[in-house]
Each structure stands twice: as structure tokens, then as C-alpha cells.
Amino acid sequence: MAWRAATVGSGTALSLALCGCGAGRGALEPPPALQQEDMWRHLATDADRARLRGWRSTWVTAVAKARAADAAAVAAAGDMFAPDIALDMPVPPAGRYRCRVFKLGARAPGMPDYLAYPWFECRVGASAQGEAQLVKLTGSQRQVGTFYRHDDRRAVFLGTLMLADETRALPYGRDAERDLAGWTTRVGEDRWRIALPQPAFESLLTVMELVPQR
């Protein structure tokens, strides 16, 4: 378990690693190196492996609930909520991104079944070890984590959630309620998503969309 925490890293380490990537605002670089295929299986917690295995049933349920709540918004998102869209180059290249989060399917009565947040800022870069990493830079909920190769069309994202004014992310595997696990795919030209099934808070499925800043 210690190897897992050290590999995924802390929020401070991620911030330091990412602060120098990108030649300028909106600049994109080649994707950082990805680890050997399926290394994520050795790093993910048992709970996260289960969440990733059950992603399709979660997806179907969550999107159905979201569509019932706001069919027009779900339709307007196009391929973002289509489960089998997965193009080559599943990890976004290094650089600055606009990112927004959708929460689909309420986890508890009284919560919305469809919620779309405004655009925030994210950065993709590489750690000192060459790992491809994401940091959501703004917003009250900020995803921080690492991409791991699965195959030519999908990667796994393992990370944690930073809240409010926190300045340091917990290491992955330290707190199950903060741990995040999701499938990363490219769904269009310069358009990526991270689909996080069964997060601890609010929704059955959280989807993060990323597009490069221009």
C-alpha cells in the first residue's frame, strides 16, 4: 500500500511537477509517458477496481436518470455521455485546459439527477518520473491524479479530490471517500473525458470534460 501512495503522489508534488509544463498559455506538448499496460490494476484499491469493472451498469443507470431530469441538456452534450465513444490517444497532451464537470444520477433523494458546472481551469503535465498527471486548478472540488495506460483507446485515472481551500491533496488510497477512479477517453477532436463511476459524493457518475485552452 505504501508503494501505491508514493506512486500516485500528493497534491503538492503534483503542483510542483506541473507548474513548468507547457510553453505558454494554451500550448500543447506531446503526451507524457504512460506506464506499462494495466499497471493501474496493481495500484488501484479493491473498491476502485470494483467501481471500474461495474462502470457500464453505473453509466446506463446514471444517464437514464439524467435524461429523465433534463433530456435537452443530455442531448446537447452529444458524445460526451455516449459510453462506447473511445478514439485513439486517450490521454490529453500536456498543457492548459478548460474543464467542466457533469454529475449524473443522484446518490440520494432530493439531490439533482443532472447537474452541469461552469468551465474551470485544469493542467495536464508530467511528474519527475514521467507520469501523465492532471490537476484541476480552480473550483471548490478539484480532481488531482495520474493517468495509467489500459489500451490504445482507454486509460485509467486514479486520484483524489481536494475540497474548498485545501492546498494539499491526500495521497491516493489514504481516504476512500476522497479516492477517484475513472476511465479516460478521447471523444472528439481536442475533446477528452474522464468518467468516474460511483464517486463517494452526490452522483452515480461524474464526467469531466477537457478541451485545450486557445
Side-chain angles (χ1 to χ4, degrees):
M1 192 66 69
W3 178 41
R4 175 185 298 131
T7 302
V8 177
S10 68
T12 298
L14 283 167
S15 298
L16 291 173
L18 296 180
C19 65
C21 75
R25 189 174 183 84
L28 297 180
E29 300 174 354
L34 291 176
Q35 297 82 358
Q36 67 189 49
E37 190 165 315
D38 281 357
M39 181 181 284
W40 68 267
R41 297 183 189 277
H42 304 287
L43 303 175
T45 64
D46 291 342
D48 283 346
R49 286 196 296 271
R51 286 196 277 191
L52 292 169
R53 283 195 303 270
W55 72 270
R56 181 174 288 278
S57 61
T58 297
W59 194 297
V60 170
T61 300
V63 172
K65 294 181 72 171
R67 186 176 290 114
D70 194 336
V74 172
D79 290 340
M80 187 55 53
F81 303 145
D84 296 317
I85 299 296
L87 306 176
D88 60 353
M89 201 172 81
V91 174
R96 300 282 292 224
Y97 286 80
R98 295 189 304 139
C99 53
R100 60 177 173 172
V101 170
F102 303 91
K103 299 198 173 184
L104 312 180
R107 294 190 65 88
M111 300 182 70
D113 282 316
Y114 177 83
L115 184 61
Y117 286 85
W119 291 100
F120 291 101
E121 294 188 17
C122 288
R123 181 182 284 279
V124 175
S127 72
Q129 293 75 36
E131 298 168 336
Q133 297 179 322
L134 167 78
V135 173
K136 185 171 180 285
L137 299 170
T138 55
S140 59
Q141 297 183 10
R142 300 180 303 284
Q143 292 81 3
V144 177
T146 302
F147 298 104
Y148 295 91
R149 176 179 172 81
H150 178 72
D151 57 32
D152 289 339
R153 296 184 182 273
R154 291 195 300 168
V156 168
F157 175 81
L158 298 178
T160 59
L161 188 66
M162 295 178 64
L163 300 175
D165 59 353
E166 293 176 347
T167 59
R168 185 181 181 89
L170 291 172
Y172 175 76
R174 179 75 58 82
D175 184 341
E177 290 193 344
R178 296 291 191 95
D179 286 346
L180 299 172
W183 292 105
T184 304
T185 55
R186 186 168 67 90
V187 297
E189 185 176 359
D190 290 340
R191 193 180 187 210
W192 286 263
R193 74 176 174 211
I194 304 172
L196 303 157
Q198 299 288 347
F201 303 110
E202 301 177 336
S203 61
L204 297 178
L205 178 69
T206 295
V207 178
M208 177 184 283
E209 177 182 7
L210 297 101
V211 296
Q213 288 189 0
R214 299 301 187 189

